[in-house]
Amino acid sequence: MSEVKISAEPRTEFGKGGARRTRRAGKVPAVLYGHGEKPKHIALPAREFAAAIRKGGANQLFAIEVSDGTQVLALPKAIQRDPIKDTFEHVDLLLVRRGEKVTVEVPIQLTGEAAKDTLIVHDHDTLTVTADATKVPDHLEASIEGAEAGTQITAADVTLPAGVELAADGELQVASVTAAPTAEQLEATLPEVEVAEEEAEAEVGEETAEAPEGAPAEGEPAAEEPKTEA
């Protein structure tokens, strides 16, 4: 994975208020740490950072140039996102050096097509590996081509690029292939679903019938009594 050059500014405001002002200015609050160095608070350009992560993934290597003259290499260690706005709230960046080994989580992609009438169950979407900080792959691949029902894909089956070592247990199950349900099996489950729905409707009807006339239904606020003037 090639490194992405990105500019940054020292950050002097901290706390929730300072972070909000940083984000309103179109920047992402971040912290640089590692190698025994004192943590350095910086602000990254939000659009450039987001574009780099979309293209290179969560393990994108950054060559950061801070306006105070600091130049470092760093990998995202923790990224906080706003689930509603889908924006970056905060980033922890780990300082790295060329040739240094790092342990990271890398996404797994299944390639090929399993046998007919099967389903793929994903047990783990990422795998822990050790790699050169400047050569962390953006994804790993495992083939399911022609896999029959009952096949299990383990960490040991994942193809690792040169220089990348498995840090997880080789027997860790990544995915499995199961037989797809037949039409008969699907139809057999329909009566069970219908019975469950009918029982739920019956319980609601019984609760309504037991409530005294004029009483509010469960969960509804009681009506206020009309006020009269003396």
Side-chain angles (χ1 to χ4, degrees):
M1 181 185 298
S2 59
E3 61 196 60
V4 171
K5 292 184 178 181
I6 191 168
S7 60
E9 297 175 357
R11 188 159 51 93
T12 56
E13 286 189 303
F14 309 106
K16 292 183 178 180
R20 281 196 296 268
R21 284 187 286 274
T22 298
R23 288 190 288 269
R24 281 199 297 267
K27 301 183 183 298
V28 180
V31 175
L32 280 169
Y33 70 97
H35 293 163
E37 300 286 339
K38 182 180 179 180
K40 188 179 185 68
H41 298 267
I42 61 174
L44 301 169
R47 288 186 179 180
E48 292 179 25
F49 180 78
I53 294 297
R54 281 196 300 269
K55 183 178 180 180
N59 291 317
Q60 174 63 58
L61 178 65
F62 288 95
I64 303 175
E65 297 182 358
V66 188
S67 58
D68 63 4
T70 303
Q71 295 185 2
V72 296
L73 289 177
L75 284 169
K77 191 65 177 178
I79 299 176
Q80 298 177 18
R81 294 176 184 251
D82 184 311
I84 298 176
K85 299 178 181 178
D86 193 27
T87 54
F88 295 97
E89 296 286 286
H90 189 274
V91 183
D92 288 348
L93 295 159
L94 178 66
L95 294 170
V96 296
R97 299 188 181 98
R98 298 187 188 281
E100 178 182 3
K101 293 284 188 177
V102 294
T103 300
V104 293
E105 294 281 333
V106 179
I108 305 169
Q109 291 184 7
L110 301 180
T111 62
E113 294 186 4
K116 187 179 180 180
D117 298 327
T118 59
L119 293 176
I120 310 301
V121 179
H122 295 261
D123 298 291
H124 289 85
D125 295 325
T126 62
L127 195 60
T128 307
V129 299
T130 301
D132 186 310
T134 62
K135 298 178 181 178
V136 176
D138 58 357
H139 72 281
L140 303 171
E141 295 183 353
S143 175
I144 56 170
E145 182 63 35
E148 300 286 346
T151 301
Q152 295 182 342
I153 309 300
T154 66
D157 298 318
V158 177
T159 302
L160 299 179
V164 178
E165 300 175 358
L166 183 64
D169 185 347
E171 297 183 358
L172 177 71
Q173 185 166 303
V174 172
S176 58
V177 184
T178 63
T182 63
E184 291 77 12
Q185 290 173 329
L186 291 174
E187 291 177 358
T189 62
L190 291 178
E192 297 178 4
V193 175
E194 292 175 353
V195 169
E197 291 177 348
E198 291 175 357
E199 291 178 349
E201 292 176 356
E203 290 178 1
V204 173
E206 291 175 0
E207 292 176 358
T208 303
E210 291 174 359
E213 184 177 353
E218 184 177 353
E220 294 183 357
E224 296 183 2
E225 294 183 1
K227 296 181 181 180
T228 57
E229 297 182 359

